[in-house]
Each structure stands twice: as structure tokens, then as C-alpha cells.
Amino acid sequence: MYKLTQFPEILRMVDGAFIPPDLANTDYQQYLIWLAEGNTPDPYVPPPPPIPSTVTRFQALAVLAAGGYLSTIKTYIVTLGEDNITRLAWENAADWERTSPTLNALAAMLGLSDAQVDELFIAADQVSA
């Protein structure tokens, strides 16, 4: 069985070998025979984007606003005392770290799963001012 890749090469699943599309290559000839027999290679599936470990405050706020979460967080934050660590972090952090306990507590308050927070970080990483 074979799999298409993001490169011109074909991945042979049995041994993980990459086969260049060269008619003089016997492995490529075997692949063409395999195709002629009516077989279809598995499609190329790109890997998921990496999850950024940090995003800027602006990026995070933009994604939270787009997702409809920003007003809920702001309403919650004003209920906290001015010296509360969560409020201080919310109001002053220049960058937001994915592993931040404060960020994860806010995510839990919103009912967001780890996967949803990862998606927000991936989206935030694409935001630019």
C-alpha cells in the first residue's frame, strides 16, 4: 500500500520508504503497476498545526471576542478583587502562555476543553494587528 505525500515522492507504507517519481526507479515502476491494477494510494493528510505555547494579549483578546467569550470573561473579572491574581494576570499580562494556571482556570470557567483552548491558541497565532 502507498500513500501520497506533500512532496512528489510516494510513501511505501510497508517499510516507510519514499519513492521518487522516476521512471527509471524500479520501486516507482512497481508503484505504477500497482496503480494500473486499480489500486488507489491513501491521500496526503497534512499534520495538525502546532499549538503555540504563547500568544500576545492582543491575539488572545481578538480570538476571545470573535468566539463570543470576551464579554463573559470581562463580567467575571470585575467581580474579583483588585489584588486577585486572576484579575492581575488578565489586566496586565503582555503574553498568554498555554500552560498558565490562570488561563486554564478561565477556560474552565467558560467550560472549554483542552482541545478547544488549543484551537483558540492556534487561531490566535494567526491574528495580526
Side-chain angles (χ1 to χ4, degrees), residues 3-22:
K3 184 175 185 175
L4 299 176
T5 68
Q6 68 184 19
F7 307 105
E9 291 85 6
I10 309 300
L11 174 62
R12 185 171 48 213
M13 302 296 287
V14 175
D15 60 2
F18 286 94
I19 302 168
D22 177 2

Side-chain angles (χ1 to χ4, degrees), residues 17-128:
F18 286 94
I19 302 168
D22 177 2
L23 292 174
N25 183 308
T26 57
D27 288 328
Y28 188 67
Q29 292 170 9
Q30 295 249 324
Y31 168 71
L32 293 176
I33 292 168
W34 182 81
L35 284 177
E37 293 172 347
N39 295 298
T40 304
D42 291 343
Y44 171 69
V45 178
I51 300 161
S53 59
T54 305
V55 296
T56 67
R57 175 180 178 77
F58 170 74
Q59 290 172 314
L61 292 175
V63 169
L64 290 171
Y69 301 113
L70 190 55
S71 62
T72 303
I73 295 174
K74 284 184 173 184
T75 301
Y76 171 70
I77 292 296
V78 297
T79 68
L80 304 175
E82 290 190 19
D83 60 349
N84 179 283
I85 190 71
T86 299
R87 184 170 182 170
L88 290 170
W90 171 262
E91 293 175 345
N92 297 293
D95 295 311
W96 293 16
E97 295 182 20
R98 175 60 185 91
T99 58
S100 162
T102 302
L103 179 133
N104 289 312
L106 289 172
M109 185 266 304
L110 292 170
L112 298 174
S113 68
D114 282 345
Q116 288 173 305
V117 175
D118 290 344
E119 289 172 13
L120 290 172
F121 262 71
I122 291 167
D125 195 47
Q126 302 303 307
V127 173
S128 61

